[in-house]
Amino acid sequence: MIRALKSHVRPAERLCHATGALLILSGLAHLVVFAVDGGPWYGPVSWRKPVTFGLSFGATLIAVTWVTSYLRVGARLRTVLLVVFTADCVVEVGGITLQAWRRVPSHLDMETPFDTAVSMALAVGGAVLVVLLTVFAVASFRHRPTGPTGMALAVRSGFAILLVALASGAAMIARGVVLARTGHQEAAYHSTAPLKPLHGVSLHAVLVLPALAWLLSRTSWSETVRLRIVAVAVGCYAVAVAGAGVWAVFTY
């Protein structure tokens, strides 16, 4: 897979890969900070957020950069979208990390004008992410993605499941903002809990499923077998997402 990422890489893709790697390193560095400094792992103020967001955004940026190479979109349009996506990832992780060091919540914090500005910037950045990734998702369904056997199914399924993650993330932010704006600040911090499993489970399908299709292409198995394995993996992922969705409904 690493060789696949390095072959025929354009300058914009190198920027995306390098930035994604830095975000992952930031997440790992803050895991060390947590080990040294301690404190709670859960809650609105903890080192968990720069750790998980750094790792998640870094992995997602690298995955989306790689996976979109299989989409039938114009090179210039893809480059623009990826550069904007990269900048947005940096803003999101940067804002979350800044607030972690300030020992205040990063999302839904309306306590001071500065905290409100950071929270709203993160919310706007989240909206930009939704738009960008939706454009890629639509492109994957408008024209069949290229690649080895099973890749088209993996890419389309990965983006479809990613849209579930985006929808659940938007729902968390929307409900939290409403609660915060109506004076229920503490309730806003805890309102996201029911949707977090659904958001987390569905977020990285766009990496896992295409990676599986690519790994299967390196085997000597027949195309029929490889396609069936990808289809089973998609089904298992769908069941996991559905289970997390049921949990969200009953605990929301």
Side-chain angles (χ1 to χ4, degrees):
M1 184 173 177
I2 295 176
R3 183 179 299 175
L5 288 171
K6 288 183 177 180
S7 61
H8 308 295
V9 177
R10 297 184 173 91
E13 293 174 320
R14 292 193 185 94
L15 172 65
C16 296
H17 293 158
T19 304
L22 289 175
L23 293 179
I24 291 174
L25 288 176
S26 174
L28 294 175
H30 282 90
L31 186 60
V32 175
V33 172
F34 168 71
V36 173
D37 186 62
W41 180 251
Y42 296 102
V45 181
S46 74
W47 292 116
R48 168 185 56 83
K49 301 190 78 172
V51 171
T52 56
F53 277 80
L55 294 175
S56 182
F57 269 88
T60 300
L61 175 55
I62 293 173
V64 169
T65 302
W66 170 56
V67 170
T68 54
S69 66
Y70 293 107
L71 300 183
R72 299 179 186 274
V73 295
R76 181 175 299 179
L77 174 60
R78 175 171 173 261
T79 296
V80 171
L81 293 176
L82 286 177
V83 169
V84 175
F85 182 54
T86 300
D88 204 12
C89 289
V90 172
V91 169
E92 291 289 304
V93 176
I96 290 162
T97 303
L98 170 66
Q99 296 299 73
W101 281 97
R102 294 182 65 239
R103 307 286 184 169
V104 296
S106 55
H107 292 87
L108 311 175
D109 186 358
M110 310 293 180
E111 297 292 339
T112 69
F114 181 81
D115 293 328
T116 299
V118 173
S119 294
M120 295 311 296
L122 293 175
V124 171
V128 172
L129 290 176
V130 171
V131 172
L132 293 173
L133 294 174
T134 299
V135 170
F136 283 133
V138 170
S140 72
F141 284 94
R142 285 190 62 188
H143 303 286
R144 182 180 176 84
T146 61
T149 299
M151 184 60 75
L153 174 61
V155 170
R156 285 174 168 174
S157 300
F159 272 116
I161 296 173
L162 179 60
L163 292 180
V164 175
L166 297 177
S168 59
M172 286 191 287
I173 293 174
R175 188 185 188 199
V177 168
V178 170
L179 289 171
R181 291 292 189 183
T182 55
H184 302 87
Q185 189 65 60
E186 195 63 30
Y189 294 143
H190 298 288
S191 66
T192 61
L195 286 171
K196 283 183 177 179
L198 176 61
H199 183 68
V201 169
S202 54
L203 190 61
H204 295 294
V206 74
L207 168 60
V208 174
L209 296 175
L212 173 62
W214 183 85
L215 289 172
L216 289 172
S217 72
R218 319 304 291 180
T219 70
S220 58
W221 296 338
S222 68
E223 292 187 356
T224 301
V225 171
R226 283 183 276 151
L227 184 58
R228 285 177 179 172
I229 292 175
V230 172
V232 169
V234 170
C236 291
Y237 224 116
V239 169
V241 171
V246 171
W247 168 265
V249 169
F250 281 100
T251 58
Y252 199 60

